[in-house]
Amino acid sequence: SPLGTDVYDTFNLVVRRQGKENNFKAVLETIRGLMRGGAHSMYRSIPSWLMPVLLGYGGDPSAASFLSPQMKSFASKTAGVTSPNAALDFGDTFLDDKHLKDSFPGCNVIVNGHQDSSSTRNNYRVKVTDDSVEATAYTSPTTSSGNPIRFTPVQVQAIRSGLCPGLTTLIGPPGTGKTDVACQIIANLYHSFPTQRTVIVTHSNAALNDLFDKVMARGDVDERYMLRLGAGERNLSTTSSSSHDFTKPGRVAHILSRRNDLLEKVQQLSESLNLSSAAE
């Protein structure tokens, strides 16, 4: 064409996109607002190690790994952040001592001060330092079925990453156990940090319900601490087997019902000690 590239000046192009894809402007405005400074500045809202990953520039994204020197330095200088070198409570991640030792190939694994293996099902606290692994076995405080999966060493590494500060990314085709690993991380976080809250966000209601159902099926996370936001709650398979729903109104109703049950037990105890009558 004699016009060359000038042809692009002679016509207009209109592209129609779906609403869920047309959010780039909102993302940029959010990032710009965080970077302005003040009370809602990015430097106050987001850890320093996450900024290169979020913005895509200004540092090494690999610094977000729990094994990076930057992350270890961040953990050592920040109050309330667990060091990657600290002993981590893996809960029921391992099925037995052999599974524990197989999960750390090339490492010298010591359980309760010795190298002998036991087939008894236990929970484990594990400390990893270079090529040495020190584990302490303890009896599970719950009677739930817990984890039935023999995780691979790579999956155990992902679970360890999920228990440490930093960014954990699970990548793999369908059927490779990503949801099971995420479920185990959630359960371990629940038992390791009982005063903290965990927010689960997925790209679809079906994905969130699948993860929610698996967490509930384990039985070691009390359902009174579970809350499902969004319209997908009605499609939960656990709703049919539970005595209450997991919406915000359902959580409030459950707390009030539990309060009444506890007050009734207090009244029965008071009557048995002759401290009050049934009328009181």
Side-chain angles (χ1 to χ4, degrees), residues 49-53 60-68 70-71 161 164-168:
W49 54 264
L50 184 57
M51 286 189 290
V53 180
D60 182 10
S62 64
S65 169
F66 76 104
L67 292 175
S68 69
Q70 297 91 329
M71 184 55 59
S161 175
C164 295
L167 181 65
T168 301

Side-chain angles (χ1 to χ4, degrees), residues 89-92 112 121-125 136-141:
D89 193 345
F90 279 77
D92 59 1
N112 289 342
R121 183 67 187 268
N122 291 305
N123 289 6
Y124 297 89
R125 293 185 181 90
T136 303
Y138 66 94
T139 304
S140 173

Side-chain angles (χ1 to χ4, degrees), residues 22-23 37 43 55-56 63 65 87 99 128 132 146 148 166-167 205 210-211 215 219 237 249 258:
N22 194 27
N23 61 356
Y43 300 96
L55 299 178
S65 169
H99 182 203
V128 182
S132 176
L167 181 65
N205 282 323
D210 182 31
L211 187 56
V215 172
S237 60
R258 188 167 182 270

Side-chain angles (χ1 to χ4, degrees), residues 18-248:
Q18 296 184 13
K20 64 180 182 180
E21 299 172 349
N22 194 27
N23 61 356
F24 190 61
K25 180 180 178 182
V27 172
L28 290 180
E29 289 179 348
T30 300
I31 295 176
R32 182 179 62 183
L34 288 171
M35 295 180 66
R36 284 177 177 173
H40 301 290
S41 168
M42 172 177 291
Y43 300 96
R44 296 175 60 90
S45 306
I46 300 176
S48 58
W49 54 264
L50 184 57
M51 286 189 290
V53 180
L54 180 65
L55 299 178
Y57 72 90
D60 182 10
S62 64
S65 169
F66 76 104
L67 292 175
S68 69
Q70 297 91 329
M71 184 55 59
K72 293 181 179 180
S73 175
F74 171 81
S76 63
K77 297 178 180 179
T78 307
V81 177
T82 304
S83 171
N85 295 327
L88 302 174
D89 193 345
F90 279 77
D92 59 1
T93 301
F94 309 104
L95 302 184
D96 47 42
D97 288 3
K98 184 178 184 305
H99 182 203
L100 170 62
K101 295 180 178 181
D102 292 342
S103 300
F104 296 93
C107 295
N108 181 31
V109 181
I110 299 177
V111 182
N112 289 342
H114 56 80
Q115 295 182 331
D116 298 334
S117 297
S118 172
S119 59
T120 305
R121 183 67 187 268
N122 291 305
N123 289 6
Y124 297 89
R125 293 185 181 90
V126 181
K127 181 179 181 179
V128 182
T129 54
D130 298 330
D131 57 351
S132 176
V133 177
E134 299 179 8
T136 303
Y138 66 94
T139 304
S140 173
T142 64
T143 58
S144 62
S145 58
N147 167 48
I149 300 172
R150 184 173 289 271
F151 291 111
T152 66
V154 175
Q155 291 174 325
V156 170
Q157 181 80 342
I159 294 172
R160 180 188 172 197
S161 175
L163 291 175
C164 295
L167 181 65
T168 301
T169 304
L170 306 178
I171 302 176
T176 54
K178 298 186 298 297
T179 303
D180 293 323
V181 170
C183 180
Q184 188 65 39
I185 292 175
I186 293 170
N188 290 351
L189 288 174
Y190 170 78
H191 293 294
S192 300
F193 310 101
T195 61
Q196 297 183 6
R197 294 175 175 83
T198 302
V199 179
I200 306 172
V201 182
T202 65
H203 68 284
S204 67
N205 282 323
L208 181 56
N209 286 346
D210 182 31
L211 187 56
F212 196 101
D213 289 336
K214 287 191 174 184
V215 172
M216 288 298 305
R218 288 176 52 94
D220 56 343
V221 178
D222 196 322
E223 62 178 294
R224 59 179 165 157
Y225 299 122
M226 304 286 289
L227 171 64
R228 174 66 166 91
L229 300 178
E233 190 274 339
R234 61 177 177 270
N235 297 323
L236 282 172
S237 60
T238 55
T239 303
S240 59
S241 60
S242 175
S243 59
H244 49 272
D245 62 75
F246 295 95
T247 61
K248 288 189 289 185

